Amino acid sequence: MIPGITSILAGLVAVSETFSVEFITSTEDENNQTTYTFTDVDFGASSPTREIFLAVNWAAGSSKRTLTAASTIGGVPVTIHAQAGVADGATNQSVSAGTISALVPSGASGDVVIVLSGGAKLCAFGAYRVIKRTNIIDTATDTYSGPNPITSVVSIDSGAVGAIIAATTISATGGSLVWNTVTQDYSGTETGSGLDEVTRYAGGSVTDLAADTGRVVSSQVTTSTSPNGSALAAVSIN
């Protein structure tokens, strides 16, 4: 190939691209640890403008944990956009959710390393391939602890031709999870039947939004066990 032609072609690809958000994959790890390493995660097709956004879910014991800046996607340090957690004393566990991203232009796959502030019992995420993003329009979080229905709700602004990515984690495996505004892309429940093994997690997205203020994004579960807790984190981009 003629020297320099690769960079020229890459530049032409970047010019022709338009903003898009694509859900790629999801995964979980139920080991008890502080650092969760997920190898060979699918990142989708390479692109000079490709960012990988993660909707992240995690659960710990009675003390809640936080995402740290030591986390990486494809070896690149992450930007933490939003995170929230709540300790649910009724089930002796804490549940948390967050949204993070990193610019990873090359490679069809790579490692994701989630580093928390302390030991946890579950970590999961959904991965999104985002192309030609210009703005972080808004972020929002909410937590809930109490009786049914278990509801976390946020108000978040959206940009023109924008998208929202959200994660929710709930200390209840029964009932049905209902989203407002976003469409669910992945979900799962913790293995086990003990009182402190009742974590449910999910993530969702919505695209092609018009510019607006105060869009309501919520997750809700009604279950036979109560009280319970939930956390929701969302990021709005275009």
Side-chain angles (χ1 to χ4, degrees):
M1 183 173 289
I2 300 172
I5 195 67
T6 300
S7 60
I8 293 172
L9 291 174
L12 291 173
V13 169
V15 169
S16 65
E17 290 175 335
T18 59
F19 172 71
S20 66
V21 176
E22 177 188 7
F23 174 70
I24 299 295
T25 189
S26 65
T27 188
E28 69 153 38
D29 186 339
E30 292 189 23
N31 289 307
N32 296 321
Q33 49 200 23
T34 299
T35 299
Y36 289 85
T37 301
F38 302 87
T39 60
D40 200 29
V41 176
D42 186 5
F43 290 162
S46 297
S47 165
T49 68
R50 184 185 67 184
E51 293 174 283
I52 303 300
F53 275 70
L54 301 183
V56 190
N57 318 85
W58 66 100
S62 56
S63 296
K64 64 182 180 181
R65 308 304 189 190
T66 58
L67 286 166
T68 75
S71 303
T72 59
I73 302 172
V76 181
V78 304
T79 296
I80 300 173
H81 300 292
Q83 64 173 313
V86 61
D88 175 12
T91 59
N92 193 35
Q93 66 176 344
S94 60
V95 291
S96 303
T99 55
I100 61 178
S101 71
L103 178 64
V104 190
S106 62
S109 63
D111 294 350
V112 171
V113 180
I114 303 296
V115 183
L116 302 175
S117 61
K121 63 191 181 77
L122 177 147
C123 182
F125 66 80
Y128 296 81
R129 177 182 181 268
V130 176
I131 300 299
K132 205 88 173 189
R133 178 189 64 82
T134 303
N135 301 301
I136 298 292
I137 301 297
D138 199 6
T139 62
T141 62
D142 187 43
T143 61
Y144 175 84
S145 182
N148 280 313
I150 309 162
T151 307
S152 287
V153 56
V154 298
S155 176
I156 189 168
D157 297 344
S158 61
V161 197
I164 295 172
I165 297 170
T168 189
T169 314
I170 301 162
S171 61
T173 53
S176 298
L177 174 58
V178 178
W179 286 91
N180 179 61
T181 299
V182 304
T183 298
Q184 183 169 289
D185 295 314
Y186 70 94
S187 66
T189 56
E190 184 179 5
T191 303
S193 57
L195 187 61
D196 61 348
E197 297 176 310
V198 289
T199 301
R200 163 180 290 182
Y201 61 85
S205 61
V206 59
T207 60
D208 297 321
L209 294 171
D212 198 4
T213 58
R215 288 184 181 273
V216 174
V217 175
S218 66
S219 63
Q220 183 178 93
V221 168
T222 300
T223 178
S224 59
T225 60
S226 182
N228 297 97
S230 65
L232 188 152
V235 60
S236 174
I237 60 178
N238 74 351

